[in-house]
Structures are given as structure tokens and as C-alpha cells.
Amino acid sequence: MNARAARVAAAALAIVASVHSVDAQRHRYRRDVTWAHLPAGTTWGEVTAVEVAADGNVFVLSRCFAKDNNGCIGHDDVPPILKFDPSGKLLKSWGQGMFVFPHGAYVDRDGNFWATDARGVAGKGHQVFKFSGDGKLLLTLGKAGISGSGHDTFNQPTDVVTAPNGDIFVADGHRGSPNSRIVKFAKDGTYINEWGKKGSGADDISEPHTIAMDSQGRLFVGDRENNRIKIYDQDGKLLDTWKQFGRPSGISITKDDAMYVTDSESGPDNPGWRKGFRIGNARDGVPTDFIEDIESTTPDHSGAEGVGVDAQGNVYGAVVRRHGLDRWVRDK
């Protein structure tokens, strides 16, 4: 190892040591599971994504309130997309009969809601949808029910984000999928390019479970099975690799580059780390706070996967295995 590589390795170890120090501190948030007002007689099933719009409204993507890991199959009359106002009042819901296995979501600068469908069956799934903020379907990417690795097909797309100019970036490849790539499209859905292949090498990706963009336009990809975040420019050039945020399931970056990373699987899949939200900044990559999951050290996947943040700094967690939406209220 040369001197520069030694310095880089030492710096990385120092950052990881500081992460564990932050993890050990008492966080400044309290958990609230009563914020969202669901219809009478309804309880959460698998909640997979949560996004906060600029107007404060909160969009939640669930697997049609299912509790059997079958997603929306058999629940075609149940809407997977719910829109709440800042007080938790349900404003609107939609998407009945459109999804197999809702997964990732994003609210763009114009207030449009994007969602991915990470399974396919019976002529549905393996697609990405763009809706208006009130539920009108505006754009569809992928072929319904058809998996693939072509320019117009996906195999279990997990998440989506858009650039200021409208370019679309789709993270494609959930657990078990042969795909582990980022696919770039123009704002009208025209294919531009792609990058990434499945593996554990420095240039590989294994399960790109989440994707987000910072104020510089850099793409942050949760390379979950490799326990790292990979940072790219918009043409796919690898800029950096971060391991200090644990095993990333979800990433949310605010307009001032505050970064919130969910770790729902550490423990069995990332020994020595605890589950929860690690909070830092996309500019320097230094974690500064930690919200520990209520089942942080269980040998099962338990924490929030999706994450959203409102203007007051409250953190919303989409919890799949425990079925729910956690709202972590920041202490004043």
C-alpha cells in the first residue's frame, strides 16, 4: 500500500470510528406513530416509501395495506398511494389496480409524484410511473409485466430521481434480480445511457436500493448489498464511495444538502452496526446524528426503508416488516 492509499484508509477508519461514537449518543427525536389519520378500520401494512413535497404535503407509498409480502396482488381495490397534509389528514389516494409490488418514490420540483413497481406478474409490474400531485398519470417507463435489461425494460426497479433539467434516473435491480444498474432517460422518457453491473468490486453495484441527488447534481446510490453509498456524476462517472452510513436502504437529501440515510438491515447483514437513521451532510459525508431503530439489534430486518424529511426537520420512516409509518419529531 502506497502512502496516499494508507492515508485514505486511515481517514476512512477514523470516519467509521466517529460514526459509532455518534451512534452511541442519545438522539434528539421522539417517535410518533399516530400522525397519519387513516380511514376508519384501516391499519398499515407494508409501507415502503415516504416523500415530503415543497408545500409540506406528505406522500406515502404502501403495498396496498397488505401484510403477507405479496404486495398489491389480490388487493386491486386498495390504493397504494396516499397524500396527507402536514397535520396528517388524508387528502387523496390513488393507484388502485396499477401495482404489483410498490417500492420507491420521489416528489420532483414541480410536485409530481414518481413511484416504482419492483415485481411483475399477470401483465403488471417492472415499471416506473409519474403522476401529477393529484394522481393524474403523466408518464410510464418500462413494459408492463415484462422484465429485462434493455432500453425500455426493467427488472425490479427500486427507486427514481430527476435532475433540474428533467432527466430521469432509475435504480434498477432488487434482491434476486440480475440487474444492478442506473438507467438515465430524458424528461420525455427517451433512453440516454446506463451504468453499473452486479458484483462486489470497486466499480460494481449489488442491489441499488435507493437513489437521491444533492444540490450539485451528484447522484447518491445506496449500494445496499455492498454496505456502501456510491456517488456518481450524471454521466455515470464514479466520484466517491462512502461506507460511513451503514447499510443504506433509503436516502433523502434536502435542498441544503442535509442527508438522511436509513439502515434497516445492519446486524445480520452488516455486523457491528445498528439499525436506524444516520444523519449528516452530502457535502462532507460526516454523520452527525443517529436515530436508533426500536429493534436496532434484532437478527431480522426491522427498520425503516424509505425516508422523508419536512421543513421542520421531522423525519418520516416507511417501515416494511413492522408495518407502519414512523414520524420522528425533532426536539425543539
Side-chain angles (χ1 to χ4, degrees):
M1 180 182 295
N2 60 35
R4 182 180 182 279
R7 289 195 299 271
V8 171
L13 287 173
I15 290 176
V16 170
S18 70
V19 170
H20 290 302
S21 175
V22 169
D23 285 3
Q25 298 173 7
R26 183 184 182 277
H27 62 70
R28 300 169 293 155
Y29 299 80
R30 57 181 174 84
R31 180 171 175 253
D32 175 15
V33 296
T34 64
W35 171 82
H37 306 307
L38 294 176
T42 303
T43 58
W44 289 116
E46 295 184 344
V47 183
T48 184
V50 56
E51 296 286 327
V52 183
D55 60 5
N57 289 329
V58 180
F59 292 79
V60 179
L61 186 66
S62 84
R63 291 177 184 150
C64 299
F65 296 91
K67 297 176 172 63
D68 53 13
N69 198 37
N70 287 326
C72 292
I73 298 300
H75 306 279
D76 284 350
D77 59 338
V78 181
I81 302 167
L82 300 98
K83 178 181 178 181
F84 298 89
D85 74 7
S87 72
K89 177 184 177 182
L90 182 62
L91 299 175
K92 195 174 182 66
S93 60
W94 68 87
Q96 297 96 319
M98 294 183 65
F99 289 81
V100 176
F101 199 70
H103 197 277
Y106 175 67
V107 177
D108 67 23
R109 293 153 189 81
D110 297 320
N112 300 307
F113 180 78
W114 298 72
T116 70
D117 193 349
R119 287 184 187 172
V121 66
K124 289 191 293 188
H126 297 303
Q127 291 186 296
V128 178
F129 300 103
K130 175 186 179 181
F131 300 93
S132 72
D134 289 323
K136 179 182 178 181
L137 183 62
L138 302 176
L139 180 69
T140 302
L141 301 176
K143 293 182 177 179
I146 298 176
S147 64
S149 58
H151 294 177
D152 59 354
T153 55
F154 302 111
N155 193 317
Q156 301 181 41
T158 58
D159 205 3
V160 58
V161 73
T162 64
N165 68 351
D167 284 348
I168 307 159
F169 299 86
V170 177
D172 183 31
H174 200 259
R175 189 158 300 165
S177 171
N179 292 357
S180 274
R181 61 177 182 164
I182 306 302
V183 191
K184 180 180 180 179
F185 301 89
K187 63 181 179 180
D188 64 355
T190 302
Y191 172 89
I192 297 177
N193 68 345
E194 64 183 81
W195 64 89
K197 62 181 180 64
K198 194 172 186 68
S200 58
D203 295 324
D204 298 334
I205 308 172
S206 188
E207 196 181 33
H209 199 267
T210 179
I211 187 169
M213 184 177 289
D214 72 356
S215 65
Q216 301 177 52
R218 299 180 300 170
L219 294 163
F220 288 66
V221 176
D223 183 9
R224 188 163 77 169
E225 290 185 336
N226 288 320
N227 300 325
R228 63 194 182 188
I229 294 171
K230 305 196 76 174
I231 305 172
Y232 299 94
D233 71 12
Q234 293 184 25
D235 295 315
K237 179 183 177 181
L238 181 61
L239 303 175
D240 208 344
T241 300
W242 289 353
K243 298 183 178 181
Q244 62 267 32
F245 286 88
R247 186 175 174 89
S249 287
I251 302 173
S252 179
I253 302 176
T254 65
K255 62 182 180 181
D256 61 352
D257 283 334
M259 187 166 78
Y260 298 75
V261 181
T262 61
D263 181 341
S264 63
E265 296 189 354
S266 275
D269 293 305
N270 190 22
W273 293 71
R274 292 187 286 177
K275 304 178 187 72
F277 302 83
R278 290 184 178 86
I279 303 168
N281 195 285
R283 298 170 190 169
D284 58 20
V286 177
T288 56
D289 208 347
F290 179 62
I291 304 174
E292 187 169 4
D293 181 62
I294 64 171
E295 297 182 22
S296 179
T297 59
T298 58
D300 198 357
H301 303 157
S302 64
E305 294 198 20
V307 56
V309 185
D310 66 24
Q312 291 71 46
N314 301 312
V315 181
Y316 300 77
V319 183
V320 175
R321 190 185 69 85
R322 285 200 316 271
H323 303 159
L325 179 71
D326 287 349
R327 183 175 187 253
W328 293 91
V329 180
R330 185 169 182 169
D331 292 340
K332 301 297 184 182

